Amino acid sequence: MQTSRADIADLIYFLAIARHRSFTRAAVESGVSASALSHALKGLETRLGVRLFNRTTKSVTLTAAGEVLVQAILKPFEAIDDALESLNQFRDSPGGRIRINAAVEAANLLLAPVMPAFMDRYPHVEIDIVASNRMVDVTEAGFDAGIRYGGTVPEDMIARRLSADIRWVIAASPDYLARYGTPAHPEDLLHHRCVSNRLGDDRIYRWELERDGETLQITVPTSVTVNQAETGLVAVLGGAGLMYFPEPLVAPYVNDGRLTLVLTDWSVREDGFYIYYSGRRQLPTGLRLLIEFIQEVRPLGL
């Protein structure tokens, strides 16, 4: 059976669907509509004479034939990607598309601030940022890299530091503290309204505090639980209560008086942000340039 140009394009779509197990997410990666992706797959299955996916309203899974096809074509297509990537060395201005899965705080505090200057320097490099605190297998999900706090980076990945360690603080609005008082000791938190953090694995975070070698983990009384610190920040600015934050997120509001830090002598420093990626493939030029640029600009220190 002779391979046509249509087959090559549809095989690329097939691999995207296989990675994501979702037509919607594969369509976003591929830059086409989900209906166009579905139509292309049906055409490929018709030409091959086999069904590649089992599709229901709730799931998309590979058939046995689909599994065989993935194993047969994945490495050749990766080799083609690497070959095309290697041509960047001959371009006057490097290009390409980089997909990054980043913790929400990393996207807002680390990536977004450097984007204008990065775009000016490398106008042909496209950065696709997916901000989510839920941990994913970045390779399996089709991302070039992930960015997380250092303590949560998968051990089997290559990791490079992008920021200094980050201080964690407790903050509230002046109005809230005027109404309910300022805690003088961590135990006082048990008598306050608090906004809790839900981690990417759905656990509720226990606030970690340390002073003079004494370490405490406090399960605070929860009025509101959020899975993104930015959501809690809006509530805390409005007087909802106390919340545990990465200091860079609240620093502008502390500086202008809209938030007040409490229990500062109990604040801890934790690992900063790291970017991580698989060592099994060639590092894309655009990703290398982005890493070097962040390390040069140091939006969160280094």
Side-chain angles (χ1 to χ4, degrees):
M1 178 179 177
Q2 187 174 3
T3 302
S4 67
R5 291 181 180 178
D7 287 332
I8 296 298
D10 291 346
L11 287 172
I12 293 172
Y13 294 153
F14 162 74
L15 287 174
I17 300 167
R19 276 196 301 271
H20 292 285
R21 301 294 198 271
S22 163
F23 280 84
T24 302
R25 291 194 294 271
V28 170
E29 176 187 328
S30 304
V32 299
S33 68
S35 60
L37 208 62
S38 178
H39 180 75
L41 179 66
K42 288 178 182 177
L44 178 64
E45 289 177 326
T46 298
R47 294 194 299 277
L48 296 178
V50 294
R51 192 172 185 83
L52 300 173
F53 291 98
N54 296 310
R55 300 184 281 277
T56 70
T57 56
K58 295 183 178 180
S59 67
V60 177
T61 58
L62 285 162
T63 63
E67 291 280 8
V68 169
L69 185 59
V70 166
Q71 296 304 315
I73 69 174
L74 183 58
K75 288 187 177 180
F77 270 94
E78 288 180 345
I80 292 172
D81 286 341
D82 287 345
L84 294 174
E85 177 62 37
S86 67
L87 297 181
N88 260 318
Q89 62 183 306
F90 300 105
R91 294 168 55 104
D92 293 333
S93 177
R97 182 168 182 258
I98 305 301
R99 300 190 73 238
I100 297 176
N101 184 285
V104 176
E105 291 91 343
N108 292 339
L109 298 172
L110 190 70
L111 292 178
V114 306
M115 283 299 103
F118 182 82
M119 292 162 62
D120 285 343
R121 185 179 294 185
Y122 303 110
H124 299 296
V125 176
E126 178 186 351
I127 308 294
D128 182 355
I129 302 169
V130 175
S132 172
N133 290 334
R134 186 168 295 279
M135 290 293 293
V136 300
D137 183 324
V138 294
T139 303
E140 181 71 19
F143 293 98
D144 294 290
I147 302 179
R148 289 290 184 279
Y149 291 109
T152 61
V153 172
E155 294 182 357
D156 61 340
M157 305 293 277
I158 295 174
R160 297 175 64 177
R161 180 187 280 270
L162 293 182
S163 83
D165 288 344
I166 291 176
R167 183 181 181 224
W168 287 79
V169 296
I170 300 171
S173 70
D175 288 345
Y176 172 84
L177 296 176
R179 291 177 62 190
Y180 296 99
T182 300
H185 187 275
E187 292 181 356
D188 296 340
L189 296 172
L190 301 178
H191 307 291
H192 276 269
R193 288 163 43 179
C194 297
V195 178
S196 288
N197 316 60
R198 184 183 301 279
L199 301 176
D201 58 6
D202 283 335
R203 290 182 296 117
I204 304 301
Y205 186 70
R206 299 177 67 192
W207 295 9
E208 298 181 6
L209 305 172
E210 182 178 348
R211 185 181 69 178
D212 299 331
E214 181 182 2
T215 301
L216 299 176
Q217 289 189 339
I218 305 292
T219 301
V220 297
T222 298
S223 301
V224 176
T225 300
V226 297
N227 69 342
Q228 293 187 10
E230 289 75 6
T231 305
L233 173 60
V234 175
V236 169
L237 285 167
L242 298 155
M243 188 170 174
Y244 191 79
F245 290 105
E247 187 174 30
L249 183 63
V250 298
Y253 305 98
V254 173
N255 291 338
D256 68 14
R258 296 175 64 189
L259 289 179
T260 300
L261 301 184
V262 303
L263 299 174
T264 53
D265 53 339
W266 287 88
S267 296
V268 299
R269 286 191 178 275
E270 300 288 354
D271 287 340
F273 291 115
Y274 285 73
I275 191 165
Y276 60 94
Y277 48 87
S278 171
R280 296 195 297 269
R281 294 189 58 195
Q282 177 181 338
L283 184 67
T285 300
L287 180 58
R288 175 180 58 80
L289 295 174
L290 179 63
I291 293 171
E292 292 173 353
F293 190 81
I294 293 174
Q295 292 176 334
E296 172 191 336
V297 176
R298 303 184 178 190
L300 293 176
L302 193 60

